[in-house]
Amino acid sequence: MLLLLTGLPSFGGDDRKWFEATFLRLLQWDVSAQLPGRSLAEEPRLASSEVRRLMAHASVLSLSLVPQEQGLAYEVATRLVALLGAESSSTVRGADVILSRIGNFPQRRLLRQRYAREGVSVGVPPQLALERIARELENRTLGAASEVVTLTDFQYKLFDELAGSQSVSVSAPTSAGKSFVMGLDLVRRLRSEPRACVVYLVPTRALIRQVSRDLREHLRKSGLDGVPVRTVPFPIDVSRATQGAVFVLTQERLISLLYSPGIDQPISTLVVDEAQGISDGARGVMLQTSIEIVRSRFPHAEIHFAMPMATNPELLLETIGRRASGHTLSLSQSPVAQNVILVSEVSRQPRHAEFSLVADGKTLDLGQRELEFELRGSSHTQRAMLARAVTSEGESAILYANTASEAEKLAAALVELIPPRDAPDERIRELIEFIQTEVHPEYPLITCLPSGVAYHYGVMPAIVRARIEDLFRSGKLRYLCCTSTLLQGVNLPARHIVVENPKRGVSRPMERRDFLNLAGRAGRLLHEFHGNVWCLRPAKWQNASFAGDQTYEVQTAVDSAMEDGGRIVQRVANNEASASELDYGEAMLGKLYCDFVCENQDLTSSRWRTRENAATLEATARALSAMKVTLPARILQANRAVRPDRLQELYEYFSREADLGLLAPLAPYAVGANDRLGKIIQTVETILGGVQNDSHRFYKQLAIQWVYDKRLSQIIARHIEYQRSRGGSQSVSSMIRELLEVLEENIRFRLVKYFMAYNSVLAHAMRMRGDDMAAETLEPLHVYLECGASNRIALNLIALGLSRATALAVHQQIEFPEDATPEDCLAVLRVTDVRLLSMPRLCAREIMELTGRE
């Protein structure tokens, strides 16, 4: 929470001191009222005269143009309303005026909805009523369905900037409403540019479904539901996309689209969501690479960036050479404020806890309280009991977990405290039925859901994870145990977040920027004025990320790697890199080779050179120059995540073979296809991955099942049966989790990268021998591996945004045109009553949501 109590020009010295002291007492009063247990001291409270005077100060602050002062006005008004409510109608009316002045119309709507039910009028004198109307009119625009919508001040500025700028980089809190404005801008853009091609870039596959669904809803409301929306890199024939086209892709899928054989998909607008991911290791390098390729190939394309709470949004403009011509927009005040509450043990008093509030860089004491549970013993149980104690009826809580297994343990601890509902919601029953038949009957999520509890992490089946998100947003699930997937843009706000010594993964302590991203999800716009972040045992955190600045500085992963002159690149080139830095180092090596060696540029005189790193930078340049690579630059550029020297080694392997047709991938179900797949996996693992073990045998068996349209439940059952036949004693949950990790990280990511490179180099080798036809018709196994299907109709359905499970369930039951495009398949689904088909109810619901009938 950012208070900035100093420097209030509207107040004199004594008045300012009074305001500062009284405001801190207001914080104590408000937050103390939300603490669990029984207070061991007198509860703080303000006198009615102090309340009136504070509201008068807030009224003055709401007229300020300084964002921090507007934030203080919001804090005073909403906290007093939350405390006094209907018993003080004048406070409600005053808060209504203040929220109007600062342009926070979503929270004004919450205020009016909440107190209209209690019969409280927000009527004010005519001059104030006119002022409210005038402020509202200033921020009105047309929504997707041509309805009038009222934006916040920030949203209106962003909407205006997007209309007039070739590049905008925006930094704002999680709940600022950036995505809503981007959706409005998409509709505006497609209406004014009928053949526009807009690409939304998201950091992970887990986010594709949410973004594509939201964009479809905007298009449907605006009458633009004929615009194709694709989530895999299948190019769209421009002649058929008369209303424009939209892609929602990860950076890897965008690069695949940009280098699709023989096709140059035009891009008119690129929107990079969660752009702070440009600092995240290998994926950050690939994100920057994909953006630079778009900028180079489509110099007139608009490129826009969005990220939370960065101090330097201009950095993204600098990466594309538009620092001077682009515009930045920053917002530090969230429409929903957060309380960061520290919860500490009391020595020799297991049922007592010490509470304090992090405010304005200080710690505000809230005193001790007696709890109804002991703050001792299992960490999972304590977090579960704390979440249970602070979450009231109608509220929700997220419990942060460092790993997937910890998320499951937290969920199990909650289930021990919360009895299952007598009659679970129909949609929860649908999910349980799906898991039982399509995942595994012993998957532990089944026992959590009836209690309104779930867990959420990256390697869950996509349709299960997506349905959990929907159920949590709708309030049908109240407790969600999440890993760092929550930090990658998944929109799951809750009233409460409970966290203890957070890490990203097993051992990496959470940084301040990630904590801010996490804390920003506490408090739901249009549901609460404030959210709470409960930090358990802060003295034992490895990194005190709960304290510090409210913003952070973004640094690109490329710049981070080159600060020391590129030692990580040298370690990779010399085969000395550790497993944890291998992907990052290889991505950097590929980028530097393409940007400097292929372009005949001098790395030693680059912008990274300093007096301290000059010698290292020269050594890095020598290591790159020592690589003898003859492959065309286009192949290296399309496969930058793979070492160029190993791509060259793969080409030399092909050159030694007399018949390249014997190395070409075969279509699934063709004679010899399985053995050929296994041979290719062994080849890429050995040559491109530098791996010398038998892992390729396991990958082969798993890949065959995955691309041969096997149901996930069959793959899981076979894996568990095999593990148990070998005497494995792991739990079913552990075996499923490990299998899905291999599937996501090895089959759907690493092998996809290698198979794409394999086809690129093999096609080049074939062309060098004059066999252009064979080169152009290579089987795209990398697509099959990523999507988990090889049937063309199933792939088209996945390209629409359907899950693999639903695509496999439906393509065998509906007759689609033989040459159907994804959009042709969508047209068939729109006129089909999928409820009559033999498939899980959850799959039928997913199709109805896609077609707008849900």
Side-chain angles (χ1 to χ4, degrees):
M1 175 175 28
L2 184 62
L3 301 181
L4 293 180
L5 295 173
T6 57
L8 301 176
S10 305
F11 307 149
D14 291 340
D15 213 21
R16 185 175 65 215
K17 290 179 182 178
W18 177 89
F19 178 84
E20 292 175 354
T22 310
F23 180 76
L24 292 177
R25 287 172 55 215
L26 171 61
L27 290 180
Q28 289 176 309
W29 180 18
D30 179 46
V31 178
S32 294
Q34 303 175 58
L35 299 179
R38 181 179 64 87
S39 177
L40 300 179
E42 183 180 351
E43 295 277 4
R45 187 178 178 89
L46 298 183
S48 56
S49 59
E50 293 174 308
V51 169
R52 289 192 297 271
R53 191 175 172 188
L54 267 182
M55 283 297 289
H57 281 70
S59 179
V60 173
L61 290 169
S62 67
L63 294 170
S64 171
L65 298 179
V66 179
Q68 290 83 359
E69 294 186 1
Q70 291 184 354
L72 279 171
Y74 174 88
E75 291 280 3
V76 170
T78 54
R79 289 183 188 276
L80 286 175
V81 161
L83 288 164
L84 301 174
E87 70 182 65
S88 178
S89 58
S90 61
T91 302
V92 175
R93 290 194 296 271
D96 189 279
V97 172
I98 288 169
L99 292 173
S100 299
R101 285 176 172 174
I102 65 176
N104 195 337
F105 295 106
Q107 295 302 73
R108 191 190 70 172
R109 178 179 162 195
L110 169 62
L111 178 84
R112 291 182 174 183
Q113 288 176 342
R114 178 176 295 181
Y115 294 105
R117 292 192 296 265
E118 300 183 30
V120 179
S121 169
V122 293
V124 293
Q127 65 271 27
L128 290 177
L130 287 173
E131 180 188 346
R132 289 191 309 197
I133 293 171
R135 281 296 284 118
E136 192 170 340
L137 289 174
E138 289 174 356
N139 286 29
R140 281 185 173 178
T141 188
L142 292 180
S146 297
E147 80 283 12
V148 174
V149 296
T150 306
L151 304 176
T152 66
D153 286 357
F154 164 76
Q155 288 176 317
Y156 194 85
K157 289 177 185 175
L158 175 57
F159 193 53
D160 188 53
E161 288 283 7
L162 290 170
S165 304
Q166 193 177 23
S167 287
V168 176
S169 184
V170 56
S171 168
T174 304
S175 55
K178 301 184 294 291
S179 299
F180 178 74
V181 175
M182 294 291 190
L184 291 181
D185 181 67
L186 172 68
V187 171
R188 178 174 61 183
R189 195 174 298 279
L190 291 172
R191 282 175 172 162
S192 61
E193 306 171 49
R195 293 188 180 273
C197 178
V198 182
V199 176
Y200 275 76
L201 207 54
V202 297
T204 64
R205 287 193 296 256
L207 199 54
I208 286 178
R209 182 255 187 188
Q210 176 185 309
V211 172
S212 62
R213 187 182 68 170
D214 291 346
L215 293 178
R216 282 186 192 279
E217 186 62 23
H218 277 287
L219 295 174
R220 188 177 296 125
K221 287 180 178 179
S222 64
L224 293 171
D225 47 356
V227 174
V229 179
R230 294 195 179 176
T231 62
V232 296
F234 293 173
I236 298 174
D237 185 348
V238 177
S239 65
R240 298 193 62 175
T242 56
Q243 290 183 293
V246 177
F247 287 89
V248 182
L249 306 170
T250 60
Q251 51 265 40
E252 293 83 9
R253 290 185 183 185
L254 174 56
I255 291 174
S256 178
L257 176 70
L258 291 168
Y259 288 97
S260 296
I263 298 174
D264 198 4
Q265 181 71 58
I267 294 175
S268 57
T269 302
L270 176 65
V271 178
V272 185
D273 199 9
E274 302 295 328
Q276 75 279 6
I278 202 166
S279 64
D280 290 341
R283 304 211 70 188
V285 175
M286 297 310 297
L287 174 58
Q288 182 168 338
T289 295
S290 66
I291 296 167
E292 290 171 349
I293 294 171
V294 170
R295 173 72 174 89
S296 173
R297 193 173 298 182
F298 308 103
H300 300 296
E302 294 188 22
I303 304 177
H304 305 299
F305 305 95
M307 71 194 92
M309 307 302 285
T311 58
N312 57 332
E314 68 279 358
L315 174 71
L316 281 302
L317 299 176
E318 291 171 1
T319 64
I320 58 172
R322 291 184 181 172
R323 177 67 184 92
S325 61
H327 291 82
T328 61
L329 187 61
S330 296
L331 176 72
S332 58
Q333 304 297 315
S334 172
V336 183
Q338 286 81 38
N339 299 314
V340 177
I341 304 168
L342 309 183
V343 186
S344 304
E345 295 178 352
V346 176
S347 178
R348 300 180 182 179
Q349 297 286 342
R351 283 186 175 269
H352 287 193
E354 185 82 38
F355 292 88
S356 54
L357 177 71
V358 178
D360 197 24
K362 305 180 183 69
T363 301
L364 189 62
D365 182 36
L366 300 175
Q368 289 188 22
R369 298 181 78 91
E370 183 179 1
L371 306 176
E372 295 181 357
F373 58 91
E374 291 191 357
L375 205 59
R376 300 290 191 275
S378 164
S379 170
H380 303 120
T381 301
Q382 288 175 62
R383 273 181 273 173
M385 288 191 293
L386 178 61
R388 180 85 165 122
V390 301
T391 308
S392 302
E393 190 64 34
E395 296 180 347
S396 57
I398 290 173
L399 290 78
Y400 183 81
N402 296 331
T403 63
S405 61
E406 185 177 278
E408 293 185 10
K409 291 174 182 176
L410 279 170
L414 278 165
V415 170
E416 289 291 320
L417 303 173
I418 306 169
R421 298 167 183 169
D422 294 333
D425 182 86
E426 178 69 16
R427 298 195 181 193
I428 288 181
R429 290 203 299 270
E430 279 182 10
L431 180 54
I432 291 173
E433 291 170 7
F434 179 88
I435 295 170
Q436 288 172 330
T437 60
E438 303 302 318
V439 181
H440 195 276
E442 295 179 51
Y443 196 51
L445 191 59
I446 294 170
T447 61
C448 299
L449 292 170
S451 297
V453 175
Y455 49 80
H456 181 287
Y457 48 76
V459 296
M460 298 176 71
I463 189 172
V464 173
R465 186 178 59 243
R467 191 54 54 186
I468 287 169
E469 293 168 10
D470 293 341
L471 292 171
F472 188 72
R473 287 192 200 99
S474 66
K476 300 182 188 304
L477 293 173
R478 293 184 61 203
Y479 299 92
L480 191 59
C481 306
C482 284
T483 63
S484 58
T485 54
L486 191 64
L487 304 175
Q488 295 166 340
V490 178
N491 183 22
L492 289 176
R495 176 66 193 275
H496 304 282
I497 295 178
V498 177
V499 59
E500 179 177 12
N501 194 18
K503 300 182 178 68
R504 291 198 67 171
V506 178
S507 58
R508 181 177 145 203
M510 181 177 284
E511 297 175 2
R512 176 63 176 168
R513 86 162 197 190
D514 291 327
F515 182 87
L516 289 171
N517 197 349
L518 175 65
R521 298 168 197 283
R524 299 168 296 170
L525 194 66
L526 293 173
H527 288 272
E528 294 111 11
F529 295 116
H530 297 85
N532 295 325
V533 185
W534 304 86
C535 303
L536 191 56
R537 276 183 283 273
K540 296 183 179 180
W541 286 28
Q542 288 178 261
N543 182 27
S545 53
F546 52 81
D549 293 337
Q550 296 298 307
T551 55
Y552 60 89
E553 183 174 326
V554 174
Q555 182 179 37
T556 69
V558 173
D559 287 346
S560 296
M562 297 307 294
E563 277 186 331
D564 64 357
R567 292 184 188 277
I568 189 173
V569 176
Q570 295 178 39
R571 290 195 293 273
V572 168
N574 296 329
N575 298 315
E576 297 171 352
S578 65
S580 62
E581 64 183 5
L582 196 57
D583 286 344
Y584 186 13
E586 288 186 347
M588 279 300 305
L589 193 158
K591 179 170 177 56
L592 292 180
Y593 195 93
C594 289
D595 290 353
F596 289 89
V597 178
C598 292
E599 298 296 327
N600 293 315
Q601 298 295 312
D602 182 13
L603 178 62
T604 62
S605 60
S606 66
R607 62 185 177 85
W608 295 301
R609 186 184 182 96
T610 64
R611 184 166 30 183
E612 292 76 16
N613 72 13
T616 304
L617 192 64
E618 291 169 3
T620 301
R622 288 194 298 272
L624 294 173
S625 300
M627 294 181 177
K628 305 302 179 184
V629 180
T630 62
L631 286 169
R634 181 179 174 87
I635 291 177
L636 303 180
Q637 291 164 353
N639 300 280
R640 295 188 190 211
V642 182
R643 288 174 53 164
D645 55 336
R646 289 182 174 172
L647 290 171
Q648 180 68 29
E649 186 180 344
L650 181 63
Y651 175 69
E652 292 167 0
Y653 163 75
F654 290 145
S655 300
R656 293 191 294 269
E657 294 295 323
D659 186 355
L660 291 179
L662 296 178
L663 301 180
L666 298 175
Y669 301 105
V671 175
N674 292 358
D675 289 340
R676 183 70 55 83
L677 177 64
K679 183 175 182 181
I680 294 173
I681 290 175
Q682 183 176 8
T683 299
V684 297
E685 282 286 288
T686 302
I687 297 178
L688 300 183
V691 176
Q692 303 288 339
N693 57 39
D694 290 334
S695 60
H696 62 88
R697 301 181 190 276
F698 176 47
Y699 296 159
K700 171 189 172 182
Q701 295 304 318
L702 187 54
I704 288 171
Q705 297 176 77
W706 186 242
V707 303
Y708 276 56
D709 302 348
K710 288 287 187 184
R711 290 164 52 199
L712 182 61
S713 59
Q714 295 174 300
I715 299 174
I716 289 172
R718 180 173 177 179
H719 177 70
I720 291 174
E721 181 182 359
Y722 173 73
Q723 292 294 330
R724 285 177 171 168
S725 71
R726 299 181 62 195
S729 58
Q730 291 176 289
S731 66
V732 167
S733 175
S734 296
M735 286 189 279
I736 293 175
R737 198 166 55 245
E738 288 181 1
L739 174 68
L740 294 180
E741 283 176 1
V742 172
L743 192 58
E744 289 296 317
E745 296 171 12
N746 296 88
I747 305 299
R748 298 190 67 201
F749 183 71
R750 203 170 90 251
L751 283 187
V752 166
K753 174 176 68 176
Y754 289 163
F755 271 60
M756 185 176 170
Y758 185 93
N759 272 15
S760 295
V761 178
L762 179 58
H764 174 66
M766 288 175 164
R767 289 191 180 96
M768 294 297 289
R769 297 185 187 185
D771 197 351
D772 289 1
M773 181 173 293
E776 292 170 5
T777 56
L778 289 174
E779 204 70 23
L781 284 182
H782 59 283
V783 175
Y784 304 161
L785 286 170
E786 182 165 12
C787 294
S790 52
N791 176 274
R792 184 172 49 79
I793 295 298
L795 290 170
N796 284 341
L797 294 170
I798 292 170
L800 292 171
L802 288 176
S803 64
R804 175 183 186 266
T806 300
L808 295 183
V810 75
H811 86 85
Q812 296 175 335
Q813 300 188 56
I814 298 178
E815 187 173 342
F816 293 92
E818 186 175 340
D819 58 348
T821 66
E823 290 66 47
D824 295 331
C825 293
L826 180 60
V828 172
L829 292 177
R830 282 177 171 152
V831 297
T832 302
D833 189 348
V834 294
R835 293 171 298 182
L836 303 178
L837 302 179
S838 176
M839 67 171 64
R841 290 190 296 164
L842 191 60
C843 294
R845 187 180 297 280
E846 186 182 20
I847 294 172
M848 289 190 288
E849 288 175 351
L850 176 71
T851 56
R853 289 181 289 167
E854 175 62 11

